[in-house]
């Protein structure tokens, strides 16, 4: 496994965990950290023995946002010519399910990173927000789009225009978070979810993730057709035969991920 400066990557059975590790800066997302997260996630995504990836931070901060100190000296030309933040699109293209395990601050880019993930598990200490407006800028890693799709226009406008921070409970009520757990059990809960997903048929999991994500990109009619055709395609899988046979034989399935 590659060694990294700003993240730690660990493996456990068919799952992996990427831990953001810039504690002195509350895991602020500088360019180096961004490149490392994207490289680690795409490498794990290409490894068929990995069925789910957890992304987490520390107890105090998942990530306190994009690195303000790094951005402060940048000009418009720097941002535009380098297409700053475009690397995060490669994380969004990862096919392996991504589970964000969020404790403490998930602000600005930190909240946006969590929203790129497929399942967002928060500890009861988590705080979410898009405070970019307080810096004279706006979200830049998809916050205005993903937050609005997750919690609706009224609430997204409230957070993005005022920069206010919300608790884990408010985030769960708003639909941003899949579940809220005590801080002490956050990583165990995320690992359990990851292991459960990783036991499923990998191609069926990829197909399910793709179908859900398609709902954000298409009309209802197109999305339903995409789902139906993808469902039909699962009948080509050995795992589909195994799953249905195992059910009729009243035993757990043994998926081979084919
Ligand atoms: C612009 C786009 C597109 C996206 C963005 O994400 S912009 C950033 C959005 N995030 C923020 O505005 C949050 C900034 N951070 C804070 O408001 C506070 O740090 C806090 C409320 C999260 C925590 O406050 P606390 O008093 O507990 O801790 P600090 O002493 O303020 O922070 C510790 C240490 O971390 C550095 N830090 C924190 N956040 C960032 C950041 N986003 N970028 C760079 N550095 C950050 C902070 O400066 C301090 O380090 P020093 O002691 O060395 O100054």
């Amino acid at each position: 496994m590659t060694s990294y400066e700003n993240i730690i990557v660990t493996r456990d059975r068919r799952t992996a965990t990427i831990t953001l590790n810039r504690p002195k800066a509350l895991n602020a997302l500088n360019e180096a950290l961004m490149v490392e997260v994207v490289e680690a996630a795409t490498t794990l995504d290409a490894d068929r023995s990995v069925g789910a990836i957890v992304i987490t931070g520390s107890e105090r901060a998942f990530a306190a946002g994009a690195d303000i100190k790094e951005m402060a000296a940048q000009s418009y030309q720097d941002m535009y010519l380098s297409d700053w933040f475009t690397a995060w699109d490669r994380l969004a293209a990862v096919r392996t399910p991504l589970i964000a395990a969020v404790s403490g601050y998930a602000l600005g880019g930190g909240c946006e990173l969590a929203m790129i993930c497929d399942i967002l598990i928060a500890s009861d200490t988590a705080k979410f927000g898009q405070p970019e407006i307080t810096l004279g800028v706006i979200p830049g890693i998809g916050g205005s789009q993903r937050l609005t799709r997750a919690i609706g226009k009224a609430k997204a406008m409230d957070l993005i225009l005022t920069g206010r921070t919300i608790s884990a409970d408010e985030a769960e009520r708003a639909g941003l978070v899949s579940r809220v757990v005590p801080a002490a059990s956050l990583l165990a809960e995320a690992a359990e979810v990851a292991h459960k997903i990783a036991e499923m048929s990998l191609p069926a999991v990829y197909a399910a993730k793709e179908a859900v994500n398609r709902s954000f990109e298409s009309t209802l009619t197109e999305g339903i057709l995409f789902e139906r055709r993808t469902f039909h395609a699962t009948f080509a899988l050995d795992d589909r035969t195994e799953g249905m046979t195992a059910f009729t034989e009243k035993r757990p399935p043994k998926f081979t991920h084919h």
Side-chain angles (χ1 to χ4, degrees):
M1 183 60 68
T2 322
S3 66
Y4 298 95
E5 268 183 54
N6 301 283
I7 61 171
I8 298 166
V9 179
T10 50
R11 295 281 301 267
D12 178 24
R13 289 180 273 158
R14 289 182 43 78
T15 72
T17 299
I18 298 173
T19 305
L20 310 186
N21 189 33
R22 278 191 84 202
K24 288 185 183 152
L26 301 185
N27 292 329
L29 307 170
N30 66 1
E31 189 178 14
L33 185 147
M34 171 178 71
V35 167
E36 289 179 6
V37 169
V38 171
E39 188 196 309
T42 51
T43 302
L44 292 166
D45 191 38
D47 181 342
R48 299 284 166 260
S49 71
V50 176
I53 301 168
V54 175
I55 300 183
T56 194
S58 67
E59 204 176 320
R60 189 171 168 212
F62 177 72
D67 192 317
I68 300 166
K69 293 169 189 166
E70 185 181 59
M71 289 187 293
Q74 305 280 340
S75 67
Y76 162 75
Q77 289 84 345
D78 296 331
M79 287 287 163
Y80 181 66
L81 291 174
S82 65
D83 204 3
W84 199 259
F85 293 147
T86 193
W88 290 115
D89 293 345
R90 292 179 53 214
L91 184 67
V94 160
R95 300 171 83 196
T96 311
L98 300 173
I99 298 154
V102 176
S103 181
Y105 297 109
L107 303 178
C111 186
E112 292 169 300
L113 170 57
M115 289 191 292
I116 288 173
C117 296
D118 304 302
I119 297 177
L120 206 168
I121 303 177
S123 86
D124 48 12
T125 65
K127 296 175 192 70
F128 297 88
Q130 296 290 159
E132 290 89 343
I133 200 78
T134 67
L135 301 167
V137 293
I138 72 165
I141 313 174
S144 63
Q145 306 303 303
R146 291 197 179 92
L147 188 66
T148 307
R149 283 163 169 77
I151 67 176
K153 176 182 166 183
K155 202 95 180 166
M157 284 288 192
D158 176 2
L159 297 195
I160 290 171
L161 296 182
T162 69
R164 86 175 170 94
T165 296
I166 58 172
S167 67
D169 284 342
E170 187 173 354
E172 188 185 29
R173 284 196 303 276
L176 178 61
V177 163
S178 313
R179 51 181 101 167
V180 178
V181 300
S185 48
L186 176 68
L187 293 180
E189 186 90 9
E192 195 181 319
V193 172
H195 284 127
K196 191 168 194 109
I197 293 169
E199 281 170 11
M200 307 298 174
S201 162
L202 187 65
V205 165
Y206 280 2
K209 173 169 169 169
E210 201 176 349
V212 173
N213 282 336
R214 184 60 70 105
S215 71
F216 291 110
E217 309 285 350
S218 61
T219 63
L220 182 61
T221 304
E222 285 163 354
I224 285 173
L225 180 60
F226 179 84
E227 180 198 77
R228 195 160 60 242
R229 293 293 177 244
T230 308
F231 163 73
H232 293 160
T234 60
F235 279 68
L237 296 174
D238 296 346
D239 284 344
R240 191 284 306 179
T241 311
E242 167 61 10
M244 292 190 175
T245 305
F247 176 81
T248 55
E249 293 176 355
K250 299 187 186 302
R251 61 170 175 81
K254 287 191 198 114
F255 292 128
T256 56
H257 311 292
H258 284 99

